[in-house]
Amino acid sequence: MTAAAIALNTDVGEGFGVWGPTDEGALLDQVTAANVACGFHAGDPDILRRTCEASAARGVAIGAQVSYRDLAGFGRRFIDVPKATLVNELLYQMGALDVFARLAGSRVSYVKAHGALYNAAAHHTGHAAALVEAVTLFDPGLPLLCQSRTEVWSQAVAAGLRPLAEGFVDRAYTDEGLLVARSQPGALVTDPAEAARRALRMARTGTVTSLGGRTVRVAPDGGAVAALCVHSDTPGAVAIATVVRAELAAHGITTGPPEGAALAASPVGARS
């Protein structure tokens, strides 16, 4: 089964003050969705506003990439924060980004966790629940990008949200269908041609070959992924995104914003 359209997304706005990229235009030119750092693992008000303006000017969908409060660790360290506090921290990040998205003439149109929170939500019941609750409170019509067949996926479905199965073109997978830790050899895929082959397979069949050589499913049974991610800090990210998009187009697979993002409903009394 081939997806009718794929949200090709990337992480952007991952700087702080004078650190980090000042122009991510070349990457934004190739993607259809921007996972914008909301200030907890990276990003500050100036960067949030600049990144939202650059994304909106290109018609790129703006997504809230929420994280643990971990600037020092770039959000790649698990933090055992209480569920209620984590819900509030996630809402805080979404709200901050939404202000700048609206000033740019756009809006937050999907949500995606970053780093350790993304990985933890795959199996941590409490933190998966916090992510689902925060999206539900902020805007239950927003798609939630996550890995299928995980704890957060199951909870999102049970809560009536719309999780979208995501595949990673530049990351290796374990035999269980999760991401190989960045500290492990072979965790990154940096060859654009290989990334494109993986992207096409995930878009067509919802499967990928794990680092151990097994075929693993990264989408619901019988389905394909709805989103593909290339990390902006992967070496050669622009080339990877360019080749992936061209490969998808060559096989009749279009790219666009996350499914239904433009039609997402506003929460009662909050955003009209």
Side-chain angles (χ1 to χ4, degrees), residues 5 16 20 30-32 45 53 57 61 66 77 86 98 109 117 119 150 204 209 214 226 229 249 253-254 272:
F16 194 82
Q30 298 302 323
V31 300
T32 61
E53 289 173 348
V66 294
R77 302 180 295 188
L86 183 55
D98 196 53
S109 57
L117 178 57
N119 293 328
T150 59
R204 281 178 156 176
T209 301
R214 293 183 57 186
C229 178
I253 300 173
T254 59
S272 59

Side-chain angles (χ1 to χ4, degrees), residues 175-212:
D175 289 347
E176 294 70 39
L178 300 177
L179 298 181
V180 172
R182 286 177 175 268
S183 59
Q184 300 301 310
L188 293 182
V189 177
T190 58
D191 175 33
E194 175 60 22
R197 285 191 291 270
R198 290 158 53 86
L200 183 61
R201 180 176 174 184
M202 287 187 279
R204 281 178 156 176
T205 70
T207 64
V208 68
T209 301
S210 72
L211 194 59

Side-chain angles (χ1 to χ4, degrees), residues 17-18 25 37 68 71 75-76 84 93 120 124 174 192 196 212 228 234-235 243 251-252 262:
V18 299
Y68 292 126
L71 279 173
R76 288 179 176 164
Q93 294 174 75
H124 192 293
T174 67
L228 290 169
T234 295
V243 174
H251 288 83

Side-chain angles (χ1 to χ4, degrees), residues 8-11 27 31 169-170 228-232 234 237 240-241:
L8 184 57
N9 69 89
T10 191
D11 304 343
L27 187 55
V31 300
V169 306
D170 57 355
L228 290 169
C229 178
V230 55
H231 291 90
S232 60
T234 295
I240 292 172

